[in-house]
Amino acid sequence: MTFPTIKLPERALRLAQNLISMPKAVYFSLPILIGLTVFMAVSEAPGILRDWTISQNPVKLVNGDIRDGKCSTRKGFFTTCEAHLNYAYNGQTYDRDVEIMFVDIHAGDYDTDLVISGDHPDLATLSLGLDMLWNRIITLAVFVALLGGACIAMIFQILRVWRARGQLHRAAQLAPVPVEITTFQRRGKRLTVTYTDKIAGRKTGRAAHTNFEPGQEPLVVGAKDGKPVALAVWHGNTALPVLLDSRLERIDMAAQERASILAPLTAELGGQPLELIAQGKKGPTVMARLARVFLVILLFIVGIFGYWVWYVTSAESQFTSPAMDLNNMMPAPLNRWGCDQLKKRFGDQRAPFGCAASDFTSWK
């Protein structure tokens, strides 16, 4: 399918600045995704490495004591198990907290034993953790790959936009190209547009974002599959095309030159310039809505994590609720670190829930 186009002068032309933008949500969500990736790796990798070491020379202890063992299943298959292990080996007594995470479709209780490393008796785990070792490795790898992949994709997208914006500072030959407008949103007099290069020419499939000043509209030349098609230009060898406005004010040219370029296009379109508003105002896409929901979830998680850090490092009382319940739900390494921070400040007082030993009073 071909669309009406324009013929630009055969000379290097300069474009206005900051014509390619990046949604603020990308900058905001990137550190959150990085934090979640690091948190997942730090919280689960040590336990997997510990159990891998134990699996090289496992020793099952019949007289070991498994206390406060419990497993929680979320979404029907995402399971987290934790327990406090107390055992004696070669005359030495050990206390360890263990938490494991894996994916399993299971109903009822799990049967498990206490297992230690014959080479390093200070390392202890549940036999369930060894049975699910490869399950746990794959689960962690998938989570880190998904979160880390999203981080890398965002970083690459940001760098590509920055590089393209830097190249737009100089004059270059412009080549018109039709692009598909995938989404647009009006906020007051400001128009934000997302467009994709997948109709003609290079067909890179790359999406870009731009903001139009009040009174400006994209140079719409038709529609494809119910979506508006507008004209953009390749600026030299930049990685992203730049969307044009309906009056070509984004190109540094004289007003008379703009008018002479637009005249044939206006005649071809029947003398009625197309406007984006004529396509009907569109709301956010499904992906945009999902992204917003995901962002809200991420903000909630970060807020909870920040509240927990404040509790263990700065709270005036170790019995602050619901912070102490939150600390109890943290993965074993984080719970242990949090209890250590609380003990530094309240070690001469009664231990709170989540940090109390089996007598519910002293620190574990």
Side-chain angles (χ1 to χ4, degrees):
M1 180 182 294
T2 59
F3 294 92
T5 187
I6 56 176
K7 183 174 177 58
L8 294 172
E10 295 291 334
R11 68 174 190 272
L13 296 170
R14 190 181 301 275
L15 295 173
Q17 301 299 309
N18 302 324
L19 296 184
I20 300 177
S21 61
M22 177 65 67
K24 294 180 180 179
V26 174
Y27 295 106
F28 189 72
S29 59
L30 178 58
I32 297 176
L33 280 178
I34 293 175
L36 283 176
T37 304
V38 173
F39 172 77
M40 180 66 68
V42 170
S43 62
E44 296 300 327
I48 290 177
L49 291 175
R50 175 203 64 214
D51 288 6
W52 178 268
T53 302
I54 294 174
S55 69
Q56 304 307 302
N57 185 16
V59 176
K60 184 170 70 173
L61 296 184
V62 179
N63 59 346
D65 186 14
I66 302 177
R67 302 178 183 176
D68 303 324
K70 62 179 180 179
C71 291
S72 302
T73 301
R74 301 175 181 86
K75 305 298 182 181
F77 60 90
F78 188 72
T79 303
T80 301
C81 297
E82 58 184 25
H84 179 75
L85 309 181
N86 180 270
Y87 62 99
Y89 189 78
N90 290 339
Q92 179 70 35
T93 302
Y94 300 91
D95 282 281
R96 295 290 182 268
D97 289 310
V98 174
E99 181 172 351
I100 58 177
M101 178 189 72
F102 55 90
V103 173
D104 187 29
I105 300 177
H106 179 83
D109 298 330
Y110 286 98
D111 292 326
T112 188
D113 297 304
L114 194 158
V115 182
I116 68 170
S117 169
D119 301 321
H120 306 279
D122 58 312
L123 299 179
T125 188
L126 301 172
S127 60
L128 177 63
L130 299 183
D131 295 338
M132 295 290 183
L133 185 56
W134 278 107
N135 181 308
R136 295 162 60 196
I137 293 173
I138 294 174
T139 299
L140 177 61
V142 169
F143 271 96
V144 172
L146 289 176
L147 293 174
C151 294
I152 294 174
M154 284 186 179
I155 293 173
F156 181 78
Q157 186 180 10
I158 291 172
L159 293 178
R160 186 167 61 190
V161 168
W162 286 356
R163 183 172 180 271
R165 292 175 65 170
Q167 292 174 320
L168 295 180
H169 291 172
R170 58 178 176 80
Q173 188 75 37
L174 303 183
V177 58
V179 294
E180 180 181 291
I181 294 180
T182 53
T183 60
F184 63 91
Q185 186 174 18
R186 298 183 186 275
R187 294 180 178 177
K189 297 182 179 180
R190 197 174 185 87
L191 175 64
T192 300
V193 178
T194 302
Y195 57 98
T196 307
D197 173 40
K198 60 180 182 180
I199 296 179
R202 304 182 192 179
K203 290 186 179 180
T204 61
R206 297 169 184 168
H209 309 269
T210 188
N211 297 313
F212 284 95
E213 297 299 325
Q216 288 187 341
E217 289 282 337
L219 184 52
V220 181
V221 293
K224 179 182 179 182
D225 299 330
K227 292 187 177 180
V229 174
L231 287 184
V233 289
W234 286 107
H235 175 274
N237 62 348
T238 53
L240 295 169
V242 179
L243 195 62
L244 295 177
D245 66 287
S246 59
R247 294 193 292 268
L248 300 185
E249 293 175 342
R250 292 188 160 194
I251 305 177
D252 185 13
M253 294 187 299
Q256 184 176 358
E257 193 172 16
R258 293 193 187 100
S260 63
I261 294 173
L262 286 173
L265 177 64
T266 302
E268 188 174 357
L269 294 175
Q272 296 293 331
L274 301 176
E275 293 186 3
L276 189 62
I277 193 172
Q279 306 294 332
K281 186 175 180 179
K282 298 185 179 181
T285 63
V286 174
M287 290 302 297
R289 293 190 181 98
L290 290 176
R292 292 177 183 178
V293 172
F294 183 59
L295 180 59
V296 171
I297 294 174
L298 291 180
L299 291 174
F300 179 78
I301 293 174
V302 171
I304 292 295
F305 187 79
Y307 177 65
W308 170 75
V309 171
W310 166 82
Y311 164 65
V312 299
T313 60
S314 306
E316 296 181 356
S317 171
Q318 71 271 38
F319 297 108
T320 302
S321 183
M324 61 179 177
D325 302 284
L326 178 62
N327 183 52
N328 180 63
M329 292 186 293
M330 283 291 175
L334 293 179
N335 174 263
R336 184 162 52 252
W337 179 83
C339 290
D340 289 342
Q341 304 309 305
L342 290 168
K343 190 174 181 179
K344 290 178 182 178
R345 296 183 292 128
F346 307 108
D348 58 339
Q349 303 176 30
R350 187 161 59 90
F353 175 66
C355 295
S358 57
D359 60 2
F360 303 104
T361 300
S362 59
W363 296 81
K364 61 181 179 181

